């Protein structure tokens, strides 16, 4: 009898220990984000910028795979706002995804909303940003997802994690820049500087004393978590005289490869290992534009941070904490702004670390054109409201549908509560007119898309393939296409018009990279696949924010499945109302 009692005591203790270990391993992290106007000085000028907790960039969040985030957002600014957790799958928690009027109504000034979600099966670098107007110009921050407690990286453990947020800075109110663009119908003013962790760096006026410094010891390896949080610009990134080993992107591991330069479209993240294996000195980390749209204005400047060896002669002991202004850092070579060959070589190097679970049978096969357009000037508009090319107004579309957001309900609310008249489910699975998509001489009759709130309905569990095709309407361009609520496999990329007869042979179904944002080649295409295992309404849009405002988006409506775990959760009690 004593043996039985002892056995049950042991089992109880073991269960308790296992439970406590699980509780410890899967933590809930509670944060408070106060949206507020804060005085921020850049380029010699001070602006009342919208920030989180008075910080620019905003707070860094660090969790483990399997943890839960609970973030109460209190809006003390004068604008409506939402927060999007970029790249988080949001399994059954679409109410926490954040895009304004897609999964929620905005958080009004003076109101609050608490985002609750668990990060499952993702490890690496994600980020968060405002998803209202152009507020994400200053409202953004990193979200680092570490391996579960007791686990390790699939590469040698780095000495340190260093997030590097690449951004854009306007010497103006970004909300006003967007409003002026919408009013005139022309392209928005370009930014005045690029930034690394909110700082323009040594090559801009009034910026040197605050340049971001990354200290490193000789022999040390650090993990740079590079995030393109710029609004409208793809960027090259490099470090003088140092090799970069790419090990992950968009919170998925990759087969490691070495490169001199990293390319990121807005929304994308890349994890790179860098080792202190050069003579102790100061080395510039630099980023500049990759500009694929011909004749489009862009900021042809370079932002810098400094990789500073702690034993560098200029800096002495503890050199990472002073600027060592007497020694100028070594400048790296950066690709030309239009170097598409470097972009292609980089993207073609990506392979998933392990054999990928790519769907081989397809239930839903979409062919989606992505590109710009021009609307004729309405008869009741004065010429100053039609400042696009030849007196037009810029627009953009997918499959000739320029996406219009609702204003009285969010799409997810309308779907969940069966509210009629908010959207339709007739987004076309292919372009209404077939044409030579990448021609430089496209008929002007194809320049003016139809405006609508059209969703594409998918049954739960469907295996989906989407061919994304750039067009030459107005100008061809590399478009970073981001899908909310999902990661997808990029199984092929190419140039020209996608041709299933010959391009299917290029499909990689073994180890394609898993991402949440794909750069569709300028004058080219990309093919992605995913399984629709997350019910809800999920927007797919270009992450160039100028293009979102013009309508370069669509949304998938993924229906509930059969069981409780295949249905979206009920909306939270504090979900904002319109």
């Amino acid at each position: 009898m004593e043996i039985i009692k002892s056995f049950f005591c042991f089992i109880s203790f073991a269960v308790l220990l296992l439970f406590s270990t699980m509780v410890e391993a899967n933590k809930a992290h509670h944060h408070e984000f106060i949206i507020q106007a804060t005085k921020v000085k850049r380029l010699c000028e001070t602006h009342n910028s919208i920030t989180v907790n008075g910080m620019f960039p905003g707070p860094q969040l660090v969790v483990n795979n399997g943890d839960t985030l609970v973030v109460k957002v209190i809006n003390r600014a004068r604008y409506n706002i939402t927060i999007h957790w970029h790249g988080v799958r949001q399994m059954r928690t679409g109410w926490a995804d954040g895009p304004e009027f897609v999964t929620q109504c905005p958080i009004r000034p003076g109101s609050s909303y608490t985002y609750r979600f668990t990060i499952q099966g993702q490890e690496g670098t994600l980020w968060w940003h405002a998803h209202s107007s152009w507020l994400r110009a200053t409202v953004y921050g990193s979200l680092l997802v570490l391996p579960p407690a007791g686990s390790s990286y699939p590469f040698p453990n780095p000495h340190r994690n260093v997030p590097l947020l690449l951004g854009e800075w306007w010497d103006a109110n970004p909300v006003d820049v967007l409003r002026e663009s919408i009013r005139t119908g022309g392209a928005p003013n370009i930014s005045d500087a690029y930034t690394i962790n909110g700082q323009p760096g040594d090559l801009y006026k009034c910026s040197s004393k605050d340049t971001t410094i990354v200290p490193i010891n000789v022999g040390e390896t650090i993990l740079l978590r590079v995030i393109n949080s710029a609004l409208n610009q793809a960027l090259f990134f490099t470090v003088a005289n140092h090799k970069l080993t790419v090990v992950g992107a968009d919170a998925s591991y990759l087969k490691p490869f070495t490169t001199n330069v990293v390319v990121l479209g807005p929304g994308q993240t890349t994890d790179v290992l860098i080792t202190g294996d050069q003579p102790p000195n100061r080395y510039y980390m630099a980023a500049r534009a990759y500009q694929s749209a011909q004749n489009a204005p862009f900021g042809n400047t370079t932002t810098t941070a400094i990789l500073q060896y702690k034993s560098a002669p200029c800096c002495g002991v503890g050199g990472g904490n002073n600027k060592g202004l007497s020694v100028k850092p070594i400048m790296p070579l950066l690709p030309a702004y239009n170097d598409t060959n470097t972009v292609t070589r980089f993207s073609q190097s990506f392979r998933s670390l392990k054999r990928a679970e790519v769907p081989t049978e397809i239930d839903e096969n979409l062919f989606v054109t992505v590109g710009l357009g021009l609307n004729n000037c309405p008869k009741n508009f004065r010429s100053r409201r039609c400042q696009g090319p030849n007196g037009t107004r810029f627009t953009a579309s997918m499959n000739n549908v320029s996406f219009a957001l609702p204003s009285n309900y969010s799409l997810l609310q309308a779907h969940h509560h069966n509210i009629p008249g908010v959207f339709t489910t007739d987004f076309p699975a292919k372009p209404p007119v077939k044409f030579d998509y990448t021609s430089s001489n496209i008929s002007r009759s194809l320049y003016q898309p139809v405006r609508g709130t059209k969703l594409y309905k998918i049954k739960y569990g469907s295996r989906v393939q989407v061919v994304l095709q750039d067009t030459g309407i107005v100008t061809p361009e590399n478009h970073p296409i981001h899908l909310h609520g999902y990661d997808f496999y990029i199984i092929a990329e190419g140039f020209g018009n996608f041709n299933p007869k010959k391009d299917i042979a290029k499909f990689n179904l073994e180890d394609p990279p898993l991402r949440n944002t794909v750069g569709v080649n300028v004058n080219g295409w990309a093919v992605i696949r995913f399984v629709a295992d997350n019910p809800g309404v999920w927007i797919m849009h270009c992450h160039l924010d100028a293009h979102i405002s013009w309508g370069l988006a669509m949304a998938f409506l993924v229906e509930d499945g059969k069981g409780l775990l295949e249905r979206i959760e009920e909306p939270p009690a504090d979900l904002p109302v319109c």
Side-chain angles (χ1 to χ4, degrees):
M1 197 67 177
E2 289 300 319
I3 293 173
I4 293 173
K5 280 183 181 178
S6 299
F7 176 75
F8 276 110
C9 284
F10 172 76
I11 291 295
S12 301
F13 175 75
V15 169
L16 187 63
L17 186 65
L18 179 63
F19 178 73
S20 64
T21 303
M22 289 171 63
V23 169
E24 178 67 24
N26 299 300
K27 295 178 181 176
H29 302 258
H30 293 261
H31 297 274
E32 190 171 82
F33 277 14
I34 297 175
I35 311 297
Q36 62 189 63
T38 303
K39 290 190 182 304
V40 178
K41 187 175 183 179
R42 297 290 185 275
L43 308 181
C44 317
E45 299 293 332
T46 300
H47 293 274
N48 263 335
S49 299
I50 305 303
T51 66
V52 170
N53 300 347
M55 300 168 63
F56 170 63
Q60 173 183 302
L61 304 181
V62 182
V63 300
N64 294 91
N65 179 0
D67 287 356
T68 296
L69 268 169
V70 182
V71 184
K72 184 175 184 179
V73 176
I74 302 166
N75 189 0
R76 292 184 184 157
R78 60 191 175 108
Y79 303 110
N80 294 339
I81 198 165
T82 64
I83 300 293
H84 170 52
W85 314 92
H86 186 109
V88 175
R89 284 290 319 268
Q90 298 289 2
M91 297 299 292
R92 301 178 55 237
T93 53
W95 307 106
D97 189 42
E100 186 178 62
F101 295 116
V102 178
T103 59
Q104 68 169 97
C105 296
I107 307 167
R108 306 281 181 190
S111 300
S112 67
Y113 177 50
T114 300
Y115 293 90
R116 296 177 177 84
F117 55 91
T118 299
I119 297 176
Q120 301 167 315
Q122 296 180 283
E123 291 176 22
T125 305
L126 299 174
W127 61 299
W128 57 265
H129 60 79
H131 215 294
S132 304
S133 181
W134 272 17
L135 291 175
R136 82 170 180 88
T138 52
V139 178
Y140 63 89
S142 58
L143 170 52
L144 312 187
V145 186
L146 307 179
S151 299
S152 60
Y153 298 107
F155 46 82
N157 212 39
H159 291 86
R160 205 163 62 258
N161 286 282
V162 180
L164 295 176
L165 292 134
L166 312 180
E168 287 184 270
W169 176 262
W170 274 261
D171 207 2
N173 180 344
V175 173
D176 292 341
V177 174
L178 174 62
R179 285 175 175 171
E180 178 68 3
S181 170
I182 292 171
R183 188 185 68 79
T184 65
N189 290 341
I190 62 171
S191 60
D192 295 286
Y194 302 116
T195 59
I196 299 178
N197 289 351
Q199 296 294 339
D202 292 354
L203 307 184
Y204 295 91
K205 62 182 180 181
C206 304
S207 300
S208 292
K209 70 182 180 69
D210 295 312
T211 295
T212 299
I213 287 190
V214 177
I216 192 169
N217 282 313
V218 173
E220 196 174 55
T221 296
I222 57 180
L223 180 59
L224 301 178
R225 296 172 174 268
V226 190
I227 301 164
N228 187 344
S229 39
L231 258 75
N232 294 311
Q233 194 63 60
L235 294 164
F236 294 112
F237 171 82
T238 190
V239 182
N241 293 10
H242 288 73
K243 293 287 188 184
L244 305 173
T245 301
V246 177
V247 292
D250 292 0
S252 291
Y253 293 122
L254 297 168
K255 288 185 173 72
F257 67 93
T258 302
T259 180
N260 293 321
V261 64
V262 172
V263 189
L264 304 100
Q268 293 184 322
T269 75
T270 306
D271 293 346
V272 297
L273 294 171
I274 183 170
T275 298
D277 57 5
Q278 295 300 303
N281 209 327
R282 309 171 78 226
Y283 299 87
Y284 274 132
M285 314 167 101
R288 66 171 289 184
Y290 164 54
Q291 178 67 8
S292 58
Q294 291 184 350
N295 303 319
F298 71 100
N300 195 11
T301 57
T302 302
T303 179
T304 55
I306 298 171
L307 182 72
Q308 186 160 289
Y309 281 72
K310 293 181 181 178
S311 56
C314 67
C315 310
V317 179
N321 297 319
N322 71 64
K323 302 290 179 187
L325 295 176
S326 59
V327 176
K328 186 171 182 176
I330 297 168
M331 190 70 189
L333 286 173
L334 278 154
Y337 72 88
N338 58 355
D339 189 350
T340 294
N341 289 336
T342 290
V343 175
T344 304
R345 279 194 302 272
F346 181 73
S347 66
Q348 289 179 347
S349 301
F350 281 51
R351 295 286 184 273
S352 282
L353 183 61
K354 298 177 181 177
R355 183 180 172 86
E357 297 178 5
V358 188
T360 53
E361 301 294 321
I362 298 300
D363 303 304
E364 299 281 356
N365 196 355
L366 289 83
F367 184 99
V368 178
T369 55
V370 296
L372 305 185
L374 297 173
N375 281 330
N376 295 329
C377 191
K379 291 180 180 178
N380 61 331
F381 277 28
R382 294 185 178 181
S383 59
R384 65 172 178 262
R385 296 205 61 194
C386 297
Q387 295 184 28
N390 301 314
T392 59
R393 291 177 60 85
F394 273 109
T395 184
S397 68
M398 291 187 173
N399 278 356
N400 204 47
V401 179
S402 185
F403 194 70
L405 287 169
S407 57
N408 296 326
Y409 301 95
S410 74
L411 296 172
L412 186 56
Q413 284 173 302
H415 162 58
H416 192 74
H417 298 296
N418 296 311
I419 300 168
V422 179
F423 63 84
T424 58
T425 55
D426 57 346
F427 180 84
K430 59 184 180 181
V433 177
K434 189 174 182 180
F435 60 100
D436 182 0
Y437 307 111
T438 53
S439 168
S440 59
N441 188 27
I442 296 171
S443 167
R444 287 300 296 262
S445 65
L446 297 170
Y447 273 49
Q448 189 158 324
V450 176
R451 191 161 167 80
T453 311
K454 298 175 184 285
L455 277 56
Y456 191 87
K457 188 184 286 188
I458 299 177
K459 290 191 184 306
Y460 181 91
S462 295
R463 296 157 295 185
V464 183
Q465 174 174 291
V466 184
V467 177
L468 295 161
Q469 173 72 58
D470 184 34
T471 78
I473 296 176
V474 183
T475 179
E477 188 167 1
N478 183 301
H479 294 278
I481 302 299
H482 173 51
L483 175 59
H484 288 229
Y486 286 90
D487 289 325
F488 48 74
Y489 291 106
I490 305 173
I491 62 169
E493 298 172 278
F495 290 93
N497 298 331
F498 176 76
N499 182 345
K501 290 180 180 176
K502 65 182 180 69
D503 290 331
I504 285 176
K506 301 174 184 174
F507 285 8
N508 174 9
L509 303 179
E510 298 293 321
D511 59 355
L514 187 65
R515 304 207 67 170
N516 60 57
T517 305
V518 57
V520 179
N521 286 330
V522 54
N523 260 329
W525 50 268
V527 184
I528 64 172
R529 287 186 181 181
F530 62 94
V531 176
D533 59 357
N534 194 11
V537 177
W538 306 105
I539 190 169
M540 182 171 75
H541 64 86
C542 181
H543 220 278
L544 303 176
D545 277 29
H547 294 181
I548 301 174
S549 62
W550 293 340
L552 218 174
M554 58 82 67
F556 290 104
L557 193 166
V558 180
E559 297 179 298
D560 283 340
K562 293 179 180 177
L564 180 67
L565 296 180
E566 295 181 0
R567 292 202 297 268
I568 191 167
E569 293 179 358
E570 288 300 308
D574 64 340
L575 187 71
V577 295
C578 289

